[in-house]
Amino acid sequence: MSDDNKPGLIGQIKDKLIRSKEKTAEAGRHLTGRVDNDHANRLPPGQHLVDKWPVLDLGIQPELPLDTWRLAVDGLVEHPLTWTFDEFMSLPQERFVSDIHCVTTWSRYDNRWDGVSSKTILDFVKPKADARHVIFHSYDGYTTNIKLEVFAEPDVIIAHSWEGARLTREHGGPVRAIVPQWYFWKSAKWIRRIEFSATDKPGFWEERGYHNEADPWTEQRYS
Ligand SMILES: Nc1nc2c(c(=O)[nH]1)N[C@H]1C(S)=C(S)[C@@H](COP(=O)(O)O)O[C@H]1N2
Ligand SMILES: [Mo]
């Protein structure tokens, strides 16, 4: 499936939601001006703790039957791949526990993820020497970008389960990215493609006023 198949979905997104988030970014809301480079506190500046896991997205929660679901890993790699769900589940599996920090100021501690680590994916596809960026493409038309070295961090996981149960559709099932060191908008739900690229490709929110990186400890909320 190419990116060009998806503008129809993006076209359905409520303009109002996008506008209000853009305004939040323009106004620099939620910025405290505090910096916690050493991670002295477990909770990053400007964040508050929640117990229940909120749902945030563009309002399209694609229904993805497992028998037709595919995940492609391609771009600047030696061995581009496309996995079926059964193939994905038969890859080496890992379990990581990490905290979620959403730019809208909620954080949730100790989330247990099961899935395939970025390290395993890198070993399979082998990025070419000039690959510098990783772009997640999702079934709802969403995209987001991270640097290759961020993708390669040992806690990054392409997850199918949370707290021992399959990810629900609203939280990005069957499979989503988890990039624990960055604000949660970098953790793309419903991923269909992981693209390796020489050039950076700012994603949906990065093009709408959000920071290109997303470090909660230095409050990289907006650009
Ligand atoms: N495909 C896709 N992934 C997405 C989004 C989205 O709209 N579409 N929203 C992002 C944002 S802004 C956040 S805060 C988290 C929310 O994930 P959750 O709904 O599981 O809490 O998903 C991120 N990943
Ligand atoms: Mo978000």
Side-chain angles (χ1 to χ4, degrees):
M1 202 176 302
S2 83
D3 291 345
D4 306 321
N5 295 350
K6 292 293 160 188
L9 281 182
I10 283 286
Q12 295 170 30
I13 296 159
K14 289 202 190 70
D15 253 22
K16 252 169 86 175
L17 172 108
I18 296 173
R19 289 298 307 145
S20 93
K21 287 221 176 189
E22 282 176 330
K23 280 200 185 120
T24 300
E26 277 160 29
R29 276 187 57 208
H30 313 311
L31 288 171
T32 67
R34 283 184 283 137
V35 170
D36 185 359
N37 274 318
D38 310 326
H39 299 204
N41 301 293
R42 185 169 177 183
L43 196 63
Q47 297 294 110
H48 70 275
L49 208 51
V50 299
D51 189 31
K52 278 201 174 157
W53 185 11
V55 173
L56 282 99
D57 51 51
L58 302 172
I60 301 154
Q61 299 181 337
E63 194 188 338
L64 304 169
L66 293 185
D67 54 340
T68 52
W69 178 90
R70 296 288 184 276
L71 176 61
V73 189
D74 60 15
L76 283 179
V77 295
E78 301 291 345
H79 306 292
L81 285 165
T82 301
W83 287 307
T84 66
F85 191 71
D86 286 346
E87 288 166 345
F88 181 80
M89 295 304 279
S90 65
L91 298 171
Q93 300 287 313
E94 313 260 3
R95 169 168 290 181
F96 296 149
V97 175
S98 61
D99 298 346
I100 298 172
H101 306 297
C102 175
V103 71
T104 60
T105 76
W106 60 269
S107 293
R108 192 180 183 284
Y109 289 164
D110 290 329
N111 299 274
R112 193 167 87 235
W113 309 106
D114 292 294
V116 177
S117 71
S118 61
K119 168 86 169 55
T120 294
I121 292 176
L122 291 169
D123 288 345
F124 270 97
V125 300
K126 298 201 187 333
K128 294 185 176 172
D130 45 349
R132 294 276 181 279
H133 303 272
V134 175
I135 324 298
F136 296 117
H137 300 259
S138 298
Y139 280 100
D140 62 341
Y142 187 82
T143 61
T144 190
N145 56 314
I146 55 176
K147 290 201 168 78
L148 177 55
E149 66 252 32
V150 174
F151 181 77
E153 288 285 344
D155 55 1
V156 172
I157 188 165
I158 306 305
H160 54 72
S161 293
W162 173 80
E163 301 298 318
R166 287 288 172 78
L167 275 172
T168 59
R169 176 173 163 185
E170 59 181 2
H171 283 302
V175 166
R176 75 178 297 165
I178 297 295
V179 184
Q181 302 197 29
W182 276 175
Y183 284 124
F184 209 36
W185 86 78
K186 296 289 188 180
S187 293
K189 308 201 275 192
W190 310 295
I191 57 170
R192 64 178 179 85
R193 179 178 178 215
I194 303 172
E195 177 193 5
F196 290 77
S197 171
T199 55
D200 199 5
K201 300 181 183 178
F204 187 86
W205 287 124
E206 291 83 3
E207 284 193 322
R208 289 170 176 79
Y210 281 46
H211 204 285
N212 198 47
E213 273 141 270
D215 176 17
W217 307 97
T218 55
E219 285 197 294
Q220 291 178 330
R221 296 178 190 272
Y222 316 115
S223 58

